[in-house]
């Protein structure tokens, strides 16, 4: 009898697995989070830092494993991994990776929403979801016409065509854009065009936050303070008048959730839910510059935004799908260094108060300006005698000269000479390896600060390591396993009931 | 009517999920593969190399994604990720990581099968499986008394207690040991003890392979040629008279599968299947030395062994569970480098014919011996004038002097001087960073060869990045998700029907 029942159950099992998949409720609200340049090393380093910041030790498993010291993304129940290479590179760029996520195709680095011949344009899952009646939101901490956000609305042969990209953005009809500004040279006229197209453009914290109570249907929310290339400042540099990525996500949810009926566009009266893409774009920029604390700060900011989505998920658990991943690793970041071996010292990162970028634009710029006239290139090694510069290293990075070993001091002296004398020619083999085009003294400071914490870097570019994926919600199991980045678009399309097989060629003329 | 049926199915779904899990057939044959020091970077670099070796391009997604260019482990249907830190270190060692896998507890680096107070001993899942009647096999490419294999049978406060470890190994009663030899100083007497305990010791390829047709119940199979610390040579150095890890796995399966009845030990007459642990131990050693080709060679050798298990799985799909992972990352290996940016050149690795180790023991040793008398330390930079050494770099590593940039040449000259003059003091800050205790010229050769291929390293130690897990077979879904390394022991215990909750304290006196 028992054997019979077992057989009966086994038979049911096979049937039911198929049936439940087919009958499972399709998620109405879909969040897609992309940590640009974020892979396992960035995540682990951030958790080790968080553990230390929360008063624990990054060397104690019991502290590292505490829930409060784990990122929201790490705690999602479903985990997968994706290969990131693009059509013709082991190290993808954000344009081809974004296109893989958005359109489900492999393309060349630099190309957005088109194939590698740069002749065929493809629809993004955001566009397809919009056609199905979903409201669409796009958030990025870098400019909204940058490669990753652009992949969800634009088709251009080159990511550098910012004006074309921004014009395509203005024509999307998407409901929410927020984060950084527009880097396009014609940003002003494009914004005017957006207003003509029905968008409200908000540029201050108060008005943007007001959307949470009084949402509008088409808005462009640009943080008041932008740092570089129309991007939000690094999270560790954020002025209080700006919104964090988490706050912007809250505003986006409020804006996307309330849907007013539209008599002209029939489908809009049905509440089909939303698709919201949130990019932590400056994780990548911090990694390019090999600045661990700027990386960690933006990873935390990004993960806080995941936390906002999780809060929403708890209200609509059967209707909300959250997928979190990175588009590639940047910097060849590692959680270990030759100088520290088996020891980790994340407390050494606690006193960095600015990103490499803010330091370069402020303290460093002032220091160089004030000292360049008296600087004697023929007699190098002037750093040790510059109490001002040693003071800046201490006050901005928490890096104490006396704590450094001779080899570290030597490298800082050497880099300081290069920076003061303006010898930063990135075509020489030595400079290319040591500084990668960044200001020699600044990148050497972050290298040494990072290695002292036990964090290493091997590149100023993207690398080809696979990237983890985390997911929760109905259909989250689609994102388990080891697959290609193009599969993410395909699975999200299925999750949103875009039944056609991706990729889908754009038939209309590109805008 | 339709709605009703849907509800009916949904109700069944919940019930069935529980029921099928409870009723699913427990895997009779369990393989646990540990790539020591292997994480995502090692796997991706190996696949990029394999793609190139198979005639494809490591820069073309269509080639990288071809099945033949993916490792067996990458193709397993279930994928997870584990945190690797131990009780008191972000960077675990192999002893504490092995203990996590084997006993389900966090302990201190260096400790095997005991807690971090070094006073309480725990049973390994291998011992528990043996008590349930499973036959046990332990394979490692390093010595069989090394940390990872030892974790599955020994309890000692320090991994350095090799004689104690080897004596505990001799007393296990496990059915199969194979791979490297014993590093214990009392190896000879311990082997005699093993023979007294009923073990057949085989030491040549022919006799070991003969076990496939005529298996024995208790065997110790030691490869005839061992390279360093009683370990098998790196796969790229393997003499034809040795067995690969894959061949040793085939022999182990044959030995473990056939079970003769034993009148004295009743439970042995029931066929409870087996548990086989296979360690690719020298992946780690190659990574410590920052030698990418030795790493890749041993990762391929390890993955071939996974292939053997997969072949077995295809014969017994409903009864075989295969779990593959690494215990930690080693070397801070990355799939990108500052000198190569977004380009990858894995073809530059194709001509390396020996590991750093074999080169050091052979060609380098002879060269240094022959040239040390005439070596003039006061006039450095002798490498460029040494046609012999340039010839060795070309013939052994495929590294052509003329192809190098000036900065690379400078670093090789500098390291050559250090090596020739014996100035390899690993306590100086510079040497510690540049050479990590390895022969300066050799580690500089592999660094530069590797960076030219687009592979970077940041450490000579282990790092703290999470490590992927791959699985196939009944119960494989236990290994999906993001969890701790101790969970692997707990899940494997459940899969093998060891119903007690891990960890389980050893009550008998330690041997």
């Amino acid at each position: 009898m028992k054997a019979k029942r077992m057989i009966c159950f086994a038979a049911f099992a096979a049937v039911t697995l198929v049936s439940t998949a087919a009958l499972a409720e399709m998620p109405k609200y879909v969040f897609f989070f992309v940590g640009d340049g974020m892979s396992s090393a960035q995540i682990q380093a951030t958790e080790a830092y968080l553990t230390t910041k929360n008063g624990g030790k990054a060397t104690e498993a019991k502290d590292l494993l505490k829930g409060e010291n784990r990122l929201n993304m790490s705690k999602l129940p479903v985990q997968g991994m994706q290969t990131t290479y693009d059509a013709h590179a082991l190290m993808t760029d954000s344009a081809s990776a974004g296109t893989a996520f958005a359109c489900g195709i492999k393309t060349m680095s630099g190309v957005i929403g088109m194939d590698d011949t740069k002749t065929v344009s493809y629809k993004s899952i955001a566009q397809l979801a919009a056609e199905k009646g979903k409201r669409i939101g796009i958030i990025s901490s870098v400019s909204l016409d940058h490669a990753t956000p652009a992949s969800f609305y634009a088709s251009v042969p080159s990511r550098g065509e910012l004006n074309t990209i921004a014009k395509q953005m203005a024509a999307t009809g998407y409901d929410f854009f927020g984060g950084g500004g527009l880097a396009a040279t014609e940003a002003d006229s494009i914004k005017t065009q957006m207003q003509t197209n029905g968008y409200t453009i908000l540029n201050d914290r108060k008005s943007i936050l007001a959307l949470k109570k009084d949402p509008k249907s088409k808005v462009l929310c640009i943080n008041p303070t932008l740092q570089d290339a129309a991007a939000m400042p690094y999270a560790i540099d954020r002025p209080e008048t700006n919104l964090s990525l988490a706050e912007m996500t809250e505003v986006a949810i409020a804006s996307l959730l309330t849907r007013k009926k539209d008599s002209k566009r029939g489908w809009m009266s049905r509440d089909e839910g939303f698709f919201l893409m949130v990019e932590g774009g400056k994780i990548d920029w911090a990694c390019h510059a090999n600045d661990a604390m700027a990386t960690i700060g933006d990873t935390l900011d990004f993960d806080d935004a995941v936390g906002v989505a999780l809060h929403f998920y708890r209200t609509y658990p059967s209707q909300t799908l959250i997928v979190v991943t990175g588009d590639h690793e940047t910097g060849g970041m590692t959680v270990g260094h030759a100088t520290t071996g088996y020891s980790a010292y994340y407390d050494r990162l606690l006193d960095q108060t600015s990103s490499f970028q803010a330091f370069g634009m402020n303290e460093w710029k002032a220091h160089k300006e004030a000292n360049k006239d008296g600087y004697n290139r023929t007699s190098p090694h002037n750093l040790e005698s510059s109490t001002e510069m040693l003071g800046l290293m201490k006050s901005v990075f928490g890096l104490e000269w006396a704590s450094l070993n001779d080899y570290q001091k030597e490298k800082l002296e050497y880099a300081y000479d290069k920076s003061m004398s303006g010898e930063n020619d990135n075509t020489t083999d030595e400079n290319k390896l040591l500084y990668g085009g960044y200001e020699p003294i600044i990148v050497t400071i972050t290298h040494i600060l990072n290695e002292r914490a036990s964090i290493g870097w091997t590149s100023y570019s993207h690398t080809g390591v696979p990237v983890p994926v985390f997911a929760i919600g109905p259909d989250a199991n689609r994102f388990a396993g080891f697959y290609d980045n193009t599969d993410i678009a395909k699975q999200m399309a299925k999750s949103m009931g875009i039944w056609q097989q991706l990729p889908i060629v754009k038939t209309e003329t590109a805008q």
Side-chain angles (χ1 to χ4, degrees), chain A residues 202-218:
Chain A
L202 301 172
N203 193 231
D204 68 286
R205 180 177 168 84
K206 201 177 160 189
S207 327
I208 297 173
L209 284 176
L211 290 174
K212 287 168 69 174
K213 286 197 175 163
D214 185 19
K216 295 189 194 306
S217 68
K218 285 168 86 178

Side-chain angles (χ1 to χ4, degrees), chain A residues 235-248:
Chain A
I236 62 170
D237 302 327
R238 179 160 63 91
E240 282 179 15
T241 45
N242 261 19
L243 283 82
S244 67
L245 219 46
E247 288 172 324
M248 199 59 89

Side-chain angles (χ1 to χ4, degrees), chain A residues 139-143 178-180 230-233 245 279-283 298 301:
Chain A
I139 293 177
S140 176
S141 55
V142 297
S143 73
M232 284 164 56
L245 219 46
E279 187 205 16
K282 288 189 83 168
I283 299 170
D298 270 55
D301 194 47

Side-chain angles (χ1 to χ4, degrees), chain A residues 406-454:
Chain A
D406 288 344
Y407 196 48
Q408 290 166 336
K409 286 179 181 173
E410 199 179 298
K411 285 189 282 189
L412 285 164
E413 292 274 355
Y414 191 67
Y416 184 70
D417 281 339
K418 293 226 174 193
S419 283
M420 288 303 291
S421 61
E423 275 183 32
N424 185 16
D425 176 0
N426 196 37
T427 62
T428 75
D429 301 316
E430 186 187 70
N431 286 357
K432 205 170 160 183
L433 177 66
L434 298 181
Y435 316 122
Y438 290 91
E439 188 64 71
I441 183 61
I442 304 180
V443 73
T444 306
I445 288 172
T446 58
H447 278 164
I448 288 174
L449 175 67
N450 296 175
E451 77 180 40
R452 280 173 49 76
S454 74

Side-chain angles (χ1 to χ4, degrees), chain A residues 119-415:
Chain A
T119 55
V120 186
S121 297
Y122 291 89
K123 288 187 180 180
S124 76
I125 51 169
Q127 185 182 347
L128 290 163
E131 287 172 6
K132 257 191 73 84
K134 277 201 195 301
R135 304 187 90 187
I136 309 296
I138 303 286
I139 293 177
S140 176
S141 55
V142 297
S143 73
L144 294 163
D145 47 10
H146 207 264
T148 306
S151 298
F152 289 85
Y153 59 77
S155 292
V156 286
S158 168
R159 59 187 286 174
E161 297 177 24
L162 290 173
N163 290 321
T164 312
I165 291 170
K167 283 173 194 168
Q168 291 185 23
M169 171 187 163
T172 55
Y174 290 176
D175 298 85
F176 187 90
F177 288 98
L182 294 178
T185 53
E186 298 170 25
D188 288 343
S189 71
I190 292 164
K191 283 183 199 164
T192 306
Q193 182 59 48
M194 287 189 80
Q195 285 168 321
T196 309
N197 294 354
Y199 282 89
T200 303
I201 302 182
L202 301 172
N203 193 231
D204 68 286
R205 180 177 168 84
K206 201 177 160 189
S207 327
I208 297 173
L209 284 176
L211 290 174
K212 287 168 69 174
K213 286 197 175 163
D214 185 19
K216 295 189 194 306
S217 68
K218 285 168 86 178
V219 279
L220 166 60
C221 301
I222 300 178
N223 259 306
T225 303
L226 302 178
Q227 188 174 47
D228 42 357
M232 284 164 56
Y234 288 100
I236 62 170
D237 302 327
R238 179 160 63 91
E240 282 179 15
T241 45
N242 261 19
L243 283 82
S244 67
L245 219 46
E247 288 172 324
M248 199 59 89
T249 302
E250 285 174 344
V251 172
I253 290 172
S255 303
L256 297 171
L257 197 57
T258 307
R259 141 155 297 193
K260 296 191 176 65
K261 290 195 181 182
D262 185 320
S263 58
K264 289 182 191 163
R265 301 166 74 182
W267 55 260
M268 285 194 73
S269 61
R270 283 169 27 226
D271 182 5
E272 296 287 350
F274 62 72
F275 170 79
L276 174 58
M277 194 290 297
V278 181
E279 187 205 16
K282 288 189 83 168
I283 299 170
D284 174 66
W285 296 14
C287 290
H288 275 288
N290 295 179
D291 180 344
M293 260 315 296
T295 303
I296 288 168
D298 270 55
T299 304
L300 288 170
D301 194 47
F302 173 72
D303 192 65
D304 284 346
V306 175
V308 169
L310 264 175
H311 183 76
F312 179 86
Y313 165 85
R314 283 183 205 110
T315 311
Y316 304 99
S318 65
Q319 296 175 288
T320 306
L321 170 68
I322 305 173
V323 180
V324 187
T325 190
D327 55 351
H328 51 73
E329 197 278 341
T330 302
M333 191 191 206
T334 68
V335 189
H337 198 268
T339 55
T340 44
Y342 291 90
S343 303
Y345 306 94
Y346 280 73
D347 53 307
R348 292 177 177 171
L349 295 177
L350 293 174
D351 294 330
Q352 182 175 340
T353 53
S354 292
S355 70
F356 75 98
Q357 182 76 39
F359 177 70
M361 291 163 73
N362 302 309
E363 294 89 342
W364 165 252
K365 194 178 168 193
H367 172 82
K368 188 175 176 182
E369 199 59 40
N371 291 278
K372 68 178 179 185
D373 288 344
Y375 181 75
N376 180 5
R377 183 66 189 101
T378 56
S379 163
H381 303 299
N382 294 298
L383 176 55
E384 186 152 18
S385 62
S386 170
T387 50
E388 182 185 316
M389 188 61 199
L390 298 193
L392 289 176
M393 281 168 47
K394 169 77 180 138
S395 64
V396 178
F397 295 94
L399 198 61
E400 190 112 44
W401 185 256
S403 70
L404 305 177
N405 70 42
D406 288 344
Y407 196 48
Q408 290 166 336
K409 286 179 181 173
E410 199 179 298
K411 285 189 282 189
L412 285 164
E413 292 274 355
Y414 191 67

